[in-house]
Amino acid sequence: MKIVENFPRDVSVIENVWIPMSDGIRLAARIWRPTDAEQDPVPAILEYMPYRKRDFTRLRDEPLHRYFAGHGYACIRLDLRGSGDSDGVLYDEYLPQELDDAVEAIDWLVAQTWCNGRVGMMGISWGGFNALQVAALRPAPLKAIITMCSTDDRYRDDVHYQGGCLLNENLGWGSVLLSCATTPPDPDIAGADWRAKWRQRIDQAPFYPLVWMRHPHRDAYWQHGSVCEDFAAVTCPVFAVGGWADGYVNAIPRLLAGLRVPRKGLIGPWSHAFPHAALPGPAIGFFQEALRWWDHWLKGLQTGVMDEPMLRVWMEEYVPPAPMYAERPGRWVAEESWPSPRIGEKTLYLNVLSLGERPDGEDRMRLASPQTTGLTAGDWYGFGSEGEAPIDQREDDGKSLVFDADPLEERLEVLGAPSVSLALAVDRPVAFVIVRLNDVAPDGASARVSYGILNLAQRDGPASPSPMTPGRRYRVALQLNDIAYAFAPGHTLRLAISTSYWPVIWPAPEPVNLTLYTGASRLSLPVRPPRPEDDRLRPFEPPERAPMPEMTTLTVAPFRRLVERDLTTGLSTYRISTTGGDFGDAAVARIEDIDLTVGYTISKTYRIHDYAPGSAEATVEQITTHRRGPWSTRLECRTQLTATPHGFRIRGLLKAYEGSDLFARRDWDEEIRRDLL
């Protein structure tokens, strides 16, 4: 990757600036801006997240914001209230207070002498969420946003629920946020009262996974912050970016279809990361693409960015299943509008053990998936690390109902969301159905292309759940994740249906027997015809960035993903041990420019019996450390989820140490009734 050190404008960096809120709380910001901005004011670009500007994202922030500042922008990396070095307590995601604070921060920015009154927002994940949500509030200075790896629908596409099923990532992410939100501010920024602020954070911290589990269906809690509730509220231009290996990609086609403002979508093969450095590749010169966007909307320059197709995506090709890819084979394709009138529909019928162009006579097939179905699924969303990608699906295929088409005689490209219409019955009031679309190579390897999940209690929608009547026949519709994929001649389309998907989702309360009516069920594929103009798309520039701060790795963390099966008990255990943040494989690292040693490790353990959903258990353990000279802190966080057919039990333990002394402790042990989940 090219490292750019000389820019059109010299850059000054302000390590911390306090931005006052109307209630007296101060938010901590780090600012990069052209040195001469006081004499020649510039537009401002705001990034607003809880992930600690001072340390955890410092290595990522510097190359990003210095790059834009060097091209004539003031870049502001702002810690949310209650996170990083900001005052207050972080009570939840995307609260009205968070969004109101952002509007106040924007007003503060435009009042600065170095700002010309025009503001953009950008961010990945949390920062992409609140960029959309603040845009819906329509602050006048906000002229455009870039939202990456985010969603327009907080219930339908986030780490908490999918298809009305509880994601195990709800516990995992909630545990990470608990650790992040209870880490102390840096005394070099917060001053002598840093301990009081730390104590307040710990004493008032909510147990985040519990908060979200109290809302198992799509109620007003999830409607808040979901811009799909009123796309018309967003009146500034939107550039939505994501990757096929990320869990948030479905939002991009919905945003393009629902918004009525100037908008663009970009989807690569990437995971939950910036496209200039994401895996799988190919990576692109994303900073240059973003600069074209900002120059057009914040400076009024003719960059050509809006003369190009609305949606540009990476059309993936088959690659042998592997737990990680450096690159995915494929090519860039584009559509002038979305939904595209060019996309057609191909229907295949689920006949006995086959997918056919025409339905055979109606028949029945029965299934009761082992609870371990899903161990080949990979992570709900990944960051490009080893073991995240779905591996060969044949193990899970063997635990599912499988329907194979005849080998293809010619290439078949799909772009959009495959869907199924299933005629089925189940023997329990609460049951799940999981549908996978796979590409089976001539050698038999089965690669997952897309998948969808549905809690059948939400067959009529997530806001109106009702139990299934055992034995009754239903027709249900299920949409799979959006994808761009080219099936090669000689390959076979496979549809696999199961009733469990561990450890992606929490299992149903009881084992489920499903009856599928073949001949009456069907698969619909969004087929994309060739587009000659794809060969003439403007190529992306190679990746480049500004220099990164110096980091010294002090301890390397072993990275492990292990699946163990005890043949005497029937229990299968899936263990993940890794690091986090932007420190690569470092468990402990020193950030040299602020003389700060930071440590972070996390382990996740998922355990279940093949035929006993009540045996399911998920545990997350983390250790976070900070050290500079005599100042030393450590957080130990452990969370665990178990369940019976009638309720969940969620436990948490947080211990905070200053040096070797216990500073504070929090314990949680709660039971929650299972509500059609």
Side-chain angles (χ1 to χ4, degrees):
M1 183 182 299
K2 180 181 179 182
I3 309 300
V4 181
E5 299 191 13
N6 297 311
F7 294 99
R9 296 178 73 165
D10 292 335
V11 177
S12 297
V13 183
I14 306 173
E15 181 64 27
N16 191 75
V17 173
W18 296 111
I19 299 182
M21 299 290 104
S22 56
D23 63 355
I25 289 290
R26 302 175 307 166
L27 302 187
R30 193 170 184 226
I31 298 177
W32 298 253
R33 60 179 176 85
T35 303
D36 61 351
E38 294 279 1
Q39 295 75 43
D40 184 8
V42 296
I45 300 172
L46 172 64
E47 186 182 24
Y48 179 48
M49 298 191 302
Y51 305 133
R52 301 183 59 87
K53 66 175 177 62
R54 176 71 163 166
D55 43 55
F56 282 165
T57 64
R58 189 181 190 88
L59 303 184
R60 190 222 63 172
D61 293 345
E62 180 71 20
L64 169 70
H65 294 301
R66 181 176 289 274
Y67 186 92
F68 294 132
H71 286 93
Y73 293 90
C75 294
I76 300 87
R77 171 65 175 85
L78 184 63
D79 280 340
L80 260 65
R81 178 184 295 241
S83 71
D85 295 314
S86 291
D87 297 342
V89 176
L90 181 57
Y91 291 108
D92 200 355
E93 303 172 311
Y94 321 120
L95 291 172
Q97 182 69 68
E98 173 184 336
L99 307 183
D100 291 344
D101 286 351
V103 173
E104 286 200 52
I106 289 172
D107 290 340
W108 182 89
L109 290 174
V110 300
Q112 305 309 302
T113 55
W114 39 260
C115 179
N116 68 6
R118 301 179 68 84
V119 178
M121 282 188 74
M122 74 176 297
I124 186 169
S125 199
W126 193 308
F129 274 67
N130 62 31
L132 276 170
Q133 294 165 13
V134 173
L137 298 179
R138 290 178 279 190
L142 185 62
K143 304 303 181 183
I145 67 168
I146 299 177
T147 178
M148 291 174 281
C149 302
S150 69
T151 189
D152 62 321
D153 192 330
R154 293 182 54 216
Y155 182 78
R156 182 176 179 179
D157 282 302
D158 197 6
V159 298
H160 313 296
Y161 298 92
Q162 182 172 349
C165 297
L166 177 66
L167 290 165
N168 266 318
E169 196 57 44
N170 181 79
L171 181 71
W173 157 239
S175 303
V176 170
L177 181 58
L178 178 62
S179 181
C180 182
T182 55
T183 298
D186 191 321
D188 280 4
I189 301 296
D193 63 345
W194 71 271
R195 285 188 188 85
K197 293 181 178 181
W198 191 20
R199 175 75 66 178
Q200 181 190 26
R201 289 182 181 183
I202 296 171
D203 289 348
Q204 298 183 27
F207 194 23
Y208 300 106
L210 176 64
V211 171
W212 305 323
M213 289 178 67
R214 294 194 188 280
H215 299 274
H217 310 300
R218 196 176 191 280
D219 56 14
Y221 176 86
W222 300 111
Q223 291 168 355
H224 165 74
S226 294
V227 299
C228 64
E229 292 291 312
D230 182 12
F231 281 122
V234 177
T235 57
C236 71
V238 175
F239 187 10
V241 181
W244 298 127
D246 184 40
Y248 293 99
V249 70
N250 299 329
I252 297 175
R254 288 201 305 268
L255 286 167
L256 297 185
L259 294 171
R260 292 296 176 262
V261 295
R263 57 205 183 276
K264 290 181 69 67
L266 174 63
I267 306 174
W270 314 305
S271 55
H272 197 72
F274 278 83
H276 72 289
L279 295 174
I284 65 168
F286 176 68
F287 288 6
Q288 299 97 301
E289 289 300 304
L291 193 62
R292 294 175 71 222
W293 176 263
W294 295 131
D295 284 351
H296 180 90
W297 291 110
L298 299 186
K299 292 184 178 179
L301 302 178
Q302 296 303 312
T303 65
V305 69
M306 297 308 295
D307 299 329
E308 298 169 0
M310 177 185 290
L311 175 63
R312 186 163 174 174
V313 304
W314 185 253
M315 178 66 69
E316 294 188 338
E317 310 256 356
Y318 174 82
V319 64
M324 179 183 179
Y325 302 102
E327 287 207 3
R328 284 295 305 249
R331 76 188 199 285
W332 289 107
V333 303
E335 295 294 333
E336 296 292 340
S337 62
W338 194 264
S340 172
R342 302 178 60 257
I343 304 297
E345 183 176 270
K346 181 180 179 66
T347 300
L348 295 172
Y349 292 88
L350 281 63
N351 297 318
V352 175
L353 300 179
S354 69
L355 288 174
E357 301 280 350
R358 291 173 298 277
D360 292 342
E362 187 173 301
D363 207 333
R364 300 180 185 184
M365 297 183 68
R366 292 177 175 83
L367 169 72
S369 297
Q371 300 300 322
T372 49
T373 309
L375 287 175
T376 69
D379 291 355
W380 179 80
Y381 69 159
F383 296 85
S385 299
E386 298 174 10
E388 290 177 348
I391 57 176
D392 195 320
Q393 297 292 289
R394 280 179 284 190
E395 178 182 337
D396 283 345
D397 291 350
K399 302 174 182 178
S400 309
L401 289 180
V402 171
F403 304 87
D404 285 1
D406 291 334
L408 290 168
E409 296 182 358
E410 57 186 25
R411 182 182 178 91
L412 175 66
E413 293 191 357
V414 297
L415 173 57
S419 62
V420 294
S421 176
L422 304 177
L424 54 75
V426 292
D427 66 342
R428 295 288 184 268
V430 178
F432 309 152
V433 61
I434 298 88
V435 178
R436 290 175 290 119
L437 176 63
N438 296 344
D439 180 354
V440 181
D443 66 359
S446 180
R448 197 185 74 191
V449 175
S450 182
Y451 74 101
I453 295 170
L454 179 63
N455 178 345
L456 293 172
Q458 295 192 7
R459 62 197 175 277
D460 296 321
S464 54
S466 62
M468 299 285 281
T469 300
R472 176 182 168 185
R473 176 169 169 164
Y474 293 86
R475 178 164 293 281
V476 300
L478 194 165
Q479 181 173 300
L480 281 62
N481 292 331
D482 284 84
I483 191 63
Y485 191 86
F487 292 90
H491 284 231
T492 297
L493 278 73
R494 172 174 291 171
L495 199 72
I497 299 176
S498 64
T499 55
S500 57
Y501 210 44
W502 177 266
V504 176
I505 61 173
W506 196 264
E510 301 173 285
V512 172
N513 287 276
L514 180 145
T515 299
L516 185 78
Y517 295 89
T518 61
S521 300
R522 59 188 179 270
L523 163 69
S524 297
L525 296 173
V527 177
R528 181 182 189 268
R531 181 177 180 270
E533 294 88 345
D534 292 340
D535 294 334
R536 299 190 293 274
L537 288 173
R538 182 188 60 84
F540 290 113
E541 296 181 53
E544 63 181 36
R545 61 169 174 80
M548 185 179 291
E550 184 180 354
M551 180 200 81
T552 302
T553 297
L554 301 179
T555 303
V556 175
F559 183 89
R560 294 192 179 95
R561 285 178 183 264
L562 301 174
V563 177
E564 302 170 347
R565 186 174 185 184
D566 189 331
L567 298 179
T568 63
T569 64
L571 283 172
S572 292
T573 303
Y574 182 16
R575 291 188 176 90
I576 305 171
S577 299
T578 183
T579 61
D582 293 305
F583 301 111
D585 62 355
V588 181
R590 184 169 59 247
I591 305 172
E592 299 295 350
D593 62 332
I594 56 173
D595 188 27
L596 180 67
T597 298
V598 181
Y600 180 76
T601 56
I602 182 171
S603 65
K604 302 177 183 179
T605 304
Y606 304 102
R607 184 173 289 112
I608 201 165
H609 188 283
D610 261 333
Y611 305 110
S615 65
E617 177 185 298
T619 305
V620 181
E621 297 175 288
Q622 301 170 88
I623 298 177
T624 306
T625 59
H626 284 77
R627 187 171 68 251
R628 180 192 295 112
W631 177 62
S632 174
T633 66
R634 184 173 84 257
L635 275 177
E636 297 177 359
C637 181
R638 187 178 192 274
T639 59
Q640 186 178 69
L641 180 64
T642 57
T644 69
H646 307 290
F648 292 102
R649 185 177 183 185
I650 183 168
R651 286 169 281 192
L653 171 62
L654 179 72
K655 294 194 291 186
Y657 294 86
E658 183 179 359
S660 58
D661 298 328
L662 182 65
F663 176 77
R665 173 176 174 147
R666 291 288 304 278
D667 292 87
W668 295 270
D669 191 342
E670 299 280 347
E671 293 188 0
I672 310 170
R673 181 177 67 88
R674 294 183 79 148
D675 185 4
L676 298 176
L677 190 65

